[in-house]
Amino acid sequence: MMKMPWRRKSRSFHLQLQGAIGTIQSPFLFLLTNYCHSSTSTLEDARFLTNNFKSASFTRLHDAIASFNHVIHMHPLPSRAQFSRFLSALLKMKQYHTVFSMSKTIELLGISHDVYSLSILINCFCHLHLVDFGFSVFGKMLKLGLEPDVVTFTTLINGLCIESKINEAVEFFDDMVARGYQPDVYTYNTIINGICKFGKTNVAIGLLKGMADRGCEPDVVTYGATIDALCKDELVGEALELFSQMRNKGISPNVITYTSLIHGVCKLGQKNQALALMNEMVEQDILPNVYTFNVLIDALCRDGMVSEAQNTFNVMIQRGVEPDVVTYNSLIDGLCISDQFKEALALLKAMVGRNISPDVFTFNIFIDTLCKKGLVSDAQNIIKIMIQRGVEPDVVNYNSLMDGYCLCKQIDKARKLFDLMVTNEIANIFSYNVLINGYCKCKMIDDAKQIFDEMSHKGLVPDAVTYHTLIKGMFQAGRPQTAKELFKDMCSYGQQPNIVTFSIMIDGLCRQGKLDEALTLLKEMEESQLKPDLVTYCILINGTCKDMTTTSPF
């Protein structure tokens, strides 16, 4: 008998298993279900039910149950293979509990299990996130003297991956190989895909390289999963090498592989290469899907290449690929950022014309843009329209509106909205930062400090932006000592100062005429392995020049 690292022997586990199966309809009750109907059905109905069972071609659960209830009263009964094929069809329909119930009924009819039927049960448990129960069935298979096949092992590996038990999946895979079982490409794809999802890309690459040595050639799925993982790790160079290797082996990339690569090169800012990959896809007669287009359009918009994004959008429409709300959001955002607000509104109208409803992100783009333009009343109207359309505004929408009030010096309205958010328990760290910044801009530094102090009472930890805003505000208010205390507090509360922090502190000290302290801080900055940038040096040069002017005897 094969030694299994996950053998379960505890009584409590088996009671759990009985409990899980016990919740399913009783097999005796199942046998009696529609019994009268099956015994009195016409000959034509009987033929239909029998043929339906044998072909397993049903699309509705009701038809499957009717066929099953008919054939279990036949003499002779269908073979185990026919029953297994029938259960497999139910498995594809995701009717896992029905499979359990029917399987128990088949067992009560005296038809013994085989590897195929038990593997179906294991698959059902795995899809229900009950892989431990799947291993219990595996143990039963071994006790019956049945030899598991590669499908059984692959199913259990998949179940472990589904439940994020990646280390156990790898261990089980290694145990399978050590005992002489030859994994097929589907087994490799299952384990590699699971490993990649959990960031163990190096392990996946090792498995991929070892496949050929074990007489198993990788396919497009194997390469696709690994390429996708490399791109997510921003190892695009390695991904492109693997992509080239894949094509050299005569394996045609699919849309998923191309999309992963396009996403990867876009993250590195290589938009021209992304466009080249898109063109290559089209030349290979591989139609990009909506996600492929969305990745490229979003990257182009973020890089300010809005006209190129619009051209890509037009290609998308011409190719018959329907845009979704994500497509429109990226384009609308790009147009708003590039100050093409009228074009963004026209696109919104076109979006609604295609029966694509704006979501909370769409509305927030317009709210944020209007607020930055000082059109806060229009932004308020957008919030009203959202509510009328049944779209619930979120914290981002309210933060944008509050920021708009602050920019327009309507600090009282900003505070009222903030208090409402706190009352409804939706205010986040960004909400506090917006209001603190608003108070600092309005030279209401005590109110800003009060909001800062309230954060700890709400269980919120100030971030670097909070400290930067308040430290700068304290210097501008002529309170350098408080600014220095905040800087020390920042360090003691685990917020590591960065270049921005030091630049704000150095600028504040220089403006207060404390050049020596500023130079001391520069030294501390260099000792902390932070390299001063151009801004830092410009601040010091400016501060030195002012100091020379004020101290010069001429």
Side-chain angles (χ1 to χ4, degrees), residues 236-237 240 261-277 296 299-300 303 305:
V236 180
L240 287 166
L261 277 172
I262 289 170
H263 195 196
V265 297
C266 282
K267 282 202 296 183
L268 295 182
Q270 299 170 6
K271 309 300 182 301
N272 290 332
Q273 190 166 10
L275 287 166
L277 282 165
L296 187 55
L300 291 168
D303 210 37
M305 302 168 68

Side-chain angles (χ1 to χ4, degrees), residues 194-265:
I195 288 168
C196 287
K197 282 182 179 176
F198 285 85
K200 299 187 177 184
T201 313
N202 289 335
V203 179
I205 291 170
L207 281 170
L208 188 148
K209 287 179 178 177
M211 284 180 71
D213 296 336
R214 288 176 177 162
C216 185
E217 285 296 327
D219 64 7
V220 65
V221 177
T222 329
Y223 279 108
T226 315
I227 287 169
D228 183 60
L230 285 166
C231 288
K232 284 176 180 172
D233 291 345
E234 298 188 2
L235 299 169
V236 180
E238 290 87 335
L240 287 166
E241 283 179 19
L242 205 58
F243 180 71
S244 178
Q245 182 189 120
M246 172 186 178
R247 290 194 295 186
N248 290 339
K249 287 192 173 185
I251 301 170
S252 298
N254 59 13
V255 64
I256 297 171
T257 315
Y258 271 109
T259 303
S260 297
L261 277 172
I262 289 170
H263 195 196
V265 297

Side-chain angles (χ1 to χ4, degrees), residues 300-552:
L300 291 168
C301 287
R302 287 178 185 274
D303 210 37
M305 302 168 68
V306 182
S307 59
E308 288 85 347
Q310 287 174 307
N311 290 336
T312 305
F313 177 76
N314 292 333
V315 171
M316 180 181 187
I317 301 295
Q318 289 164 10
R319 296 269 170 186
V321 179
E322 279 296 313
D324 59 13
V325 67
V326 177
T327 323
Y328 280 103
N329 285 350
S330 295
L331 273 172
I332 289 169
D333 191 39
L335 288 165
C336 287
I337 289 169
S338 61
D339 204 25
Q340 300 180 56
F341 192 66
K342 287 183 180 178
E343 290 82 353
L345 286 171
L347 198 59
L348 176 66
K349 187 177 179 182
M351 174 184 177
V352 175
R354 282 182 174 268
N355 292 321
I356 299 172
S357 297
D359 62 9
V360 67
F361 301 105
T362 322
F363 285 112
N364 193 60
I365 293 165
F366 285 103
I367 291 167
D368 188 58
T369 304
L370 288 166
C371 286
K372 284 174 180 173
K373 286 177 173 288
L375 303 170
V376 186
S377 58
D378 290 333
Q380 286 177 304
N381 290 333
I382 296 284
I383 295 279
K384 290 176 184 176
I385 292 167
M386 283 181 73
I387 295 167
Q388 287 168 4
R389 292 180 67 95
V391 180
E392 186 69 28
D394 65 5
V395 65
V396 179
N397 302 132
Y398 287 122
N399 284 343
S400 295
L401 186 58
M402 185 167 58
D403 193 36
Y405 286 136
C406 291
L407 288 170
C408 294
K409 308 295 183 186
Q410 298 178 27
I411 199 71
D412 290 340
K413 287 186 178 180
R415 182 57 191 261
K416 279 183 182 178
L417 181 57
F418 174 80
D419 290 340
L420 183 65
M421 291 168 71
V422 171
T423 302
N424 291 320
E425 298 182 344
I426 63 168
N428 60 13
I429 186 76
F430 189 75
S431 314
Y432 282 86
N433 289 348
V434 167
L435 191 58
I436 288 170
N437 186 53
Y439 276 132
C440 288
K441 295 280 186 187
C442 292
K443 297 186 176 9
M444 300 170 69
I445 199 69
D446 289 328
D447 294 275
K449 185 65 166 62
Q450 181 192 350
I451 294 295
F452 176 82
D453 293 336
E454 282 179 15
M455 291 179 72
S456 59
H457 299 134
K458 297 290 182 181
L460 289 169
V461 179
D463 62 8
V465 176
T466 322
Y467 280 106
H468 293 168
T469 305
L470 199 53
I471 289 169
K472 190 174 181 179
M474 288 297 174
F475 275 122
Q476 288 171 345
R479 292 160 67 171
Q481 191 57 40
T482 310
K484 286 189 275 188
E485 287 170 7
L486 283 166
F487 179 73
K488 287 179 182 176
D489 287 344
M490 181 180 182
C491 300
S492 60
Y493 282 105
Q495 281 290 346
Q496 285 300 316
N498 55 28
I499 292 173
V500 177
T501 322
F502 278 104
S503 295
I504 290 169
M505 285 295 298
I506 290 168
D507 183 56
L509 291 167
C510 285
R511 287 177 186 276
Q512 293 291 322
K514 301 180 184 296
L515 185 60
D516 289 342
E517 288 185 44
L519 290 168
T520 302
L521 203 58
L522 177 69
K523 191 176 179 181
E524 284 181 27
M525 181 181 181
E526 291 170 336
E527 287 173 354
S528 66
Q529 305 302 313
L530 284 172
K531 188 178 179 181
D533 60 8
L534 182 63
V535 175
T536 317
Y537 285 119
C538 285
I539 290 167
L540 276 166
I541 291 166
N542 189 45
T544 305
C545 290
K546 283 183 179 178
D547 185 66
M548 288 173 68
T549 303
T550 54
T551 57
S552 174

